[in-house]
Amino acid sequence: MDVLLDIWQRMTTPHAALAPLTAWLTVAGAALIVLVPPVWRLARHAITIVHEGGHGVVAVLCGRRLGGIRLHSDTSGLTVSRGRPSGAGMVFTLLAGYPAAGLLGLGAAWLLSRGYDIGLLWALLAALALLLVQIRNWFGLWSVAVTAAVVFGVSWFGSAQVQGVFALLVTAFLLFGALRTSLELQQSRSRRAGSSSDADQLARLTHIPGIFWVGVFLAVQLICVALSARLLGFV
């Protein structure tokens, strides 16, 4: 009980905002993670976790039965849900993946704007724990477990400064990483026809070209970046 009370106190105690220079350097660090290819190839697994989690959450909300989630070493993933193969539920489920990281980043920015760095980290831990029970392959289990271990380590053992920097780094990484995955999606689509990407599956379901759906993904992500920058005082 004492541990739970300690966690609750940590989660609900606002932290002071980072110094402006520290905040800008942290955001620059997140941008480098997304822009430097070797680092991005490793960090992209975290975006895949959020992407597949987005599919899973919306599938359940739409009344579909979640069959499990797989995460692969090439940073791809697969979320299996059962229900009608067409209709609004399937459309919303497919729509959810690419915007998920941007929307999560926006939610994280809202929490950070109110000083809840630890609240954000523990919310991420709770989400990872819920996701873990839906993972259906060993690499996926390892990937989610390692991610959760890093978040837990910072939230429990890190100083207030380290926690604040890490929380902002995660937030900015989600926002920038979401944008890069959509740009990569379009590059991949332009190289091969008949793709099974979310955008192309949406195109087949709705008879609206895949490029339109890529545009929707990017629009949502750009709005999330703009709103997050405003919440955090960068603009």
Side-chain angles (χ1 to χ4, degrees), residues 141-165:
L141 289 171
W142 178 86
S143 182
V144 174
V146 168
T147 304
V150 171
V151 176
F152 173 78
V154 174
S155 64
W156 194 257
F157 299 108
S159 65
Q161 179 78 356
V162 168
Q163 291 164 348
V165 168

Side-chain angles (χ1 to χ4, degrees), residues 14-85:
H15 281 183
L18 295 173
L21 178 59
T22 302
W24 277 106
L25 289 174
T26 301
V27 171
L32 284 175
I33 291 172
V34 171
L35 292 173
V36 177
V39 182
W40 170 243
R41 280 194 292 273
L42 179 62
R44 197 186 191 283
H45 289 289
I47 301 294
T48 303
I49 290 172
V50 180
H51 178 112
E52 299 304 330
H55 283 313
V57 168
V58 174
V60 171
L61 291 176
C62 289
R64 299 179 64 82
R65 184 177 177 184
L66 188 59
I69 296 172
R70 291 177 175 271
L71 304 169
H72 305 131
S73 58
D74 63 355
T75 75
S76 66
L78 176 66
T79 298
V80 176
S81 64
R82 298 182 179 89
R84 288 184 59 195

Side-chain angles (χ1 to χ4, degrees), residues 74 122 124:
D74 63 355
W122 280 94
L124 292 175

Side-chain angles (χ1 to χ4, degrees), residues 103-191:
L103 292 169
L104 181 60
L106 177 58
W110 182 82
L111 286 172
L112 289 186
S113 71
R114 282 152 178 78
Y116 296 121
D117 306 9
I118 297 299
L120 167 60
L121 297 180
W122 280 94
L124 292 175
L125 273 176
L128 288 167
L130 291 172
L131 181 65
L132 193 62
V133 300
Q134 294 295 335
I135 299 297
R136 296 294 183 267
N137 67 325
W138 286 111
F139 182 84
L141 289 171
W142 178 86
S143 182
V144 174
V146 168
T147 304
V150 171
V151 176
F152 173 78
V154 174
S155 64
W156 194 257
F157 299 108
S159 65
Q161 179 78 356
V162 168
Q163 291 164 348
V165 168
F166 182 74
L168 179 58
L169 184 72
V170 169
T171 300
F173 168 72
L174 289 169
L175 293 163
F176 297 153
L179 281 170
R180 174 155 184 175
T181 56
S182 288
L183 294 173
E184 289 178 343
L185 168 64
Q186 184 53 32
Q187 290 176 346
S188 174
R189 292 184 66 254
S190 66
R191 288 196 296 267

